[in-house]
Amino acid sequence: MFIQRMCLLLAALCVSTVSVHADDWETIFDGKTLENWDGNPDVWNVQDGAITGKTSDEEGKKLKSNTFIIWRGGEVDNFELELEYKIVNGNSGIQYRSFELPDGKWRIGGYQADFEAGDTYSGILYGEAYRGILAQRGQKTELVRDNGKFEVKVIEQIGDTKEIQSKIKKEDWNKYRIVADGYHFQHFINDVQTVDVTDNDKAERRAAGLLALQAHAGPAMTVQFRNIRLKRLPAPKKVAFIAGNPSHGYGAHEHRAGCMLLADELNNSNLGITATVYTKGWPEDDSVLDDADTIVIYSDGGGGHPFNSKLDRLRALEKRGIGMVCLHYGVEVPKGPPGEAFLDWTGGYFETDWSVNPHWTGNFTTFPEHPITSGVKPFRVNDEWYYHMRFAGDDSGVFPVLTDLPPRSTLVNEDGSLARGDGPHSNNPAVREAVLERKEPQAVAWARSRRDAGRGFGFTGGHYHWNWGNRDFRTMVLNAIVWTAHGTVPEGGVPSRDLTVADLQANQDFDAPGDFNAARIQAMLDEWAAARK
């Protein structure tokens, strides 16, 4: 049932791969409909070619809290945004790199380019549910955190607030321009710069998130937006790989070698990605994670998972909207707080006495339309494909990416006896009912779009190091890493080279045994290459 429900959800959530050039302006409001915009229909509609928000003073209709109309066409990182606005009474703003709040629908927090019908706040940078005023009008500021205390440092005055206000037209159309480049933010109204902000608060700053438009609680107001255009700017991404300790022996659970291989492909992809590998588990100086756009964990899991003792630190990182990728045993954590955290971060995890870990050949023939599957062709790979994961609820933004129906032999013998006795990892009545009776395809890779605008990905393959030589197996994971970092996945997938046996032997934790059969590995590589033609 999970796969069927999630496929329906995927149709609503999926954002196709977009090829974006820095010089391209994208019109994100068609002037006629609210396509790709999501807001309270009692507040938002289209009037006179503009997105229009109206609130009321009538009893029972008055807003109790701020509400937003959210652009569902994707998330933004580095960009320029131009639009025209008009406001009659009240206060409004343009949210960017923002996140959905947990306390109600159409509630948003994050950076806000403020404006109002009054004379004080138009043009400021405000943190909606997010640190408060970050720059008054006419200020150049730096946002810092010293010994845990947040501070807005005023560097200089770049304009006079009254003079800026004199350029703003009352109850008429004004042009707003926002530039977000790295952690440098600039606002302009009618081509006059209003603020200049550098966010060096590594604990709270956000690299990516949602766009939204605000209708403010309080007295009745009307706000309108038109001619909304977005231009993406180059956005270099940082990927932090956490590779676990040596584990199973040559050619299996090769965490360091696998991470280094994937990192090399990303660093050589010409996609503006810097990938760094930290070995032997959690980094000794974990401040290196402060600038990460996504974290990839490839390690042994369960009770020894590197994340188990770092949940508070990871929650703090998560608040910034960073991505999370877990590979193979890295998807298993204990039930309780670690499991609940994983449901939040990636949408699913291997739960003992529920999930199982047999070795079998997955035959993956169809894929949902999504950036993670870009350039991925059907493939067959034998691996320790965990399945029957514990997933978050239907409305959690989780969807399956890689699915297949495991063979009966993973659970029972031909005579009906248990092929693997019931146990914490091997078998259980729930998985037999799902696979043998209901014949439900199982998700062995999945993704989640979180309300904080972060993204997660879980992938249960990766037991055998040699499988990274399968281009489609590897491309899917590379795509997922870029997607979770809010990077743009090329239409043909993240480019990578054809790997040789020598490439796969590099950086392994153990020496090759005397009976290592390189010819067998080469034959697998040749078979996979031939299957792609």
Side-chain angles (χ1 to χ4, degrees):
M1 291 296 291
F2 172 80
I3 298 298
Q4 288 82 351
R5 293 195 301 266
M6 290 300 100
C7 283
L8 292 174
L9 178 62
L10 175 60
L13 292 175
C14 179
V15 178
S16 299
T17 305
V18 178
S19 179
V20 178
H21 302 284
D23 294 333
D24 291 346
W25 282 97
E26 177 186 2
T27 297
I28 62 174
F29 166 55
D30 63 14
K32 300 175 183 178
T33 71
L34 293 179
E35 181 179 1
N36 281 337
W37 292 88
D38 173 25
N40 184 343
D42 293 333
V43 175
W44 299 99
N45 60 22
V46 177
Q47 293 183 13
D48 303 321
I51 294 177
T52 302
K54 287 187 177 182
T55 68
S56 173
D57 283 330
E58 290 183 35
E59 190 67 30
K61 293 185 178 181
K62 189 171 183 178
L63 287 182
K64 296 181 180 179
S65 59
N66 299 342
T67 190
F68 298 81
I69 187 166
I70 306 164
W71 184 56
R72 297 299 190 187
E75 292 161 355
V76 295
D77 41 32
N78 287 5
F79 69 92
E80 289 187 43
L81 180 73
E82 289 185 352
L83 57 75
E84 294 176 346
Y85 75 87
K86 180 166 66 173
I87 187 168
V88 179
N89 296 327
N91 177 278
S92 183
I94 305 153
Q95 294 289 144
Y96 58 92
R97 292 192 188 175
S98 292
F99 51 93
E100 294 185 69
L101 297 172
D103 59 350
K105 195 172 184 181
W106 304 306
R107 297 268 291 130
I108 291 289
Y111 299 111
Q112 181 185 110
D114 210 326
F115 64 90
E116 60 167 340
D119 298 327
T120 305
Y121 299 110
S122 293
I124 75 166
L125 177 56
Y126 179 67
E128 177 81 8
Y130 178 66
R131 301 182 295 176
I133 293 177
L134 305 177
Q136 299 280 12
R137 192 164 58 191
Q139 288 182 342
K140 180 176 184 179
T141 66
E142 181 186 10
L143 313 181
V144 297
R145 190 170 295 268
D146 186 15
N147 292 323
K149 183 179 179 181
F150 174 67
E151 182 181 353
V152 177
K153 288 186 175 181
V154 178
I155 306 301
E156 63 177 291
Q157 291 295 132
I158 60 171
D160 178 77
T161 183
K162 290 184 178 180
E163 184 176 346
I164 293 171
Q165 180 63 42
S166 72
K167 306 294 185 182
I168 300 173
K169 292 173 279 189
K170 295 281 191 177
E171 299 187 8
D172 202 350
W173 291 102
N174 296 279
K175 177 183 175 183
Y176 217 128
R177 176 170 168 251
I178 303 165
V179 181
D181 190 358
Y183 296 103
H184 182 208
F185 310 120
Q186 297 171 291
H187 298 174
F188 303 81
I189 298 180
N190 296 332
D191 297 321
V192 177
Q193 186 166 7
T194 62
V195 295
D196 186 307
V197 180
T198 300
D199 194 346
N200 285 324
D201 175 14
K202 292 184 177 181
E204 294 282 348
R205 67 186 187 181
R206 296 181 55 79
L210 300 169
L211 283 175
L213 310 173
Q214 183 190 56
H216 207 285
M221 62 170 289
T222 299
V223 63
Q224 293 184 290
F225 303 87
R226 70 183 185 187
N227 297 329
I228 308 174
R229 302 194 310 155
L230 177 70
K231 180 167 72 172
R232 311 275 186 169
L233 302 177
K237 301 296 181 183
K238 293 186 179 181
V239 178
F241 283 86
I242 298 178
N245 291 316
S247 179
H248 281 44
Y250 193 72
H253 285 229
E254 281 289 353
H255 307 128
R256 181 179 69 137
C259 286
M260 293 179 74
L261 186 154
L262 294 171
D264 284 346
E265 298 300 292
L266 291 170
N267 286 329
N268 293 315
S269 67
N270 294 318
L271 296 178
I273 295 172
T274 300
T276 305
V277 179
Y278 303 98
T279 59
K280 298 183 179 179
W282 191 262
E284 184 175 345
D285 176 9
D286 69 6
S287 66
V288 297
L289 304 178
D290 288 335
D291 292 328
D293 293 288
T294 194
I295 297 172
V296 182
I297 179 72
Y298 190 18
S299 75
D300 285 353
H305 199 294
F307 284 8
N308 290 339
S309 62
K310 305 294 182 180
L311 298 183
D312 289 342
R313 171 68 166 132
L314 286 162
R315 287 190 184 96
L317 290 168
E318 179 195 25
K319 287 173 60 179
R320 295 176 35 232
I322 70 169
M324 182 81 72
V325 175
C326 295
L327 305 177
H328 197 50
Y329 202 178
V331 305
E332 182 186 338
V333 289
K335 288 183 281 189
E340 293 300 316
F342 263 53
L343 291 179
D344 184 25
W345 294 330
T346 68
Y349 76 105
F350 185 110
E351 180 184 293
T352 55
D353 297 307
W354 177 261
S355 308
V356 294
N357 67 343
H359 290 251
W360 53 289
T361 299
N363 185 23
F364 307 108
T365 58
T366 60
F367 311 103
E369 183 183 356
H370 190 276
I372 291 175
T373 63
S374 299
V376 178
K377 295 183 178 181
F379 65 97
R380 288 172 53 89
V381 165
N382 181 272
D383 207 316
E384 187 184 20
W385 293 108
Y386 308 156
Y387 67 85
H388 203 239
M389 297 293 104
R390 176 66 73 186
F391 287 110
D394 292 353
D395 62 348
S396 61
V398 182
F399 52 88
V401 176
L402 196 62
T403 62
D404 191 19
L405 180 64
R408 288 178 55 86
S409 59
T410 61
L411 297 171
V412 297
N413 297 313
E414 290 185 4
D415 62 4
S417 61
L418 294 183
R420 310 170 83 221
D422 284 353
H425 295 82
S426 56
N427 213 330
N428 61 75
V431 72
R432 292 195 294 273
E433 181 180 343
V435 173
L436 303 181
E437 297 180 23
R438 297 197 300 270
K439 293 182 169 38
E440 293 179 356
Q442 298 295 303
V444 298
W446 62 93
R448 183 185 184 209
S449 295
R450 304 194 306 261
R451 294 187 68 175
D452 62 13
R455 297 168 174 178
F457 178 73
F459 184 82
T460 73
H463 175 87
Y464 296 119
H465 181 67
W466 317 112
N467 287 341
W468 296 115
N470 182 294
R471 178 179 291 276
D472 300 292
F473 181 101
R474 183 173 74 252
T475 297
M476 176 168 285
V477 173
L478 291 171
N479 289 349
I481 293 169
V482 173
W483 178 76
T484 59
H486 290 90
T488 299
V489 179
E491 291 182 359
V494 175
S496 62
R497 59 200 166 93
D498 292 328
L499 299 181
T500 66
V501 176
D503 291 330
L504 293 166
Q505 288 185 281
N507 302 309
Q508 293 203 39
D509 289 319
F510 301 93
D511 293 333
D515 60 352
F516 173 68
N517 189 340
R520 182 181 68 84
I521 305 302
Q522 185 61 58
M524 275 197 316
L525 297 178
D526 293 342
E527 181 182 349
W528 288 330
R532 295 192 93 244
K533 294 179 180 178

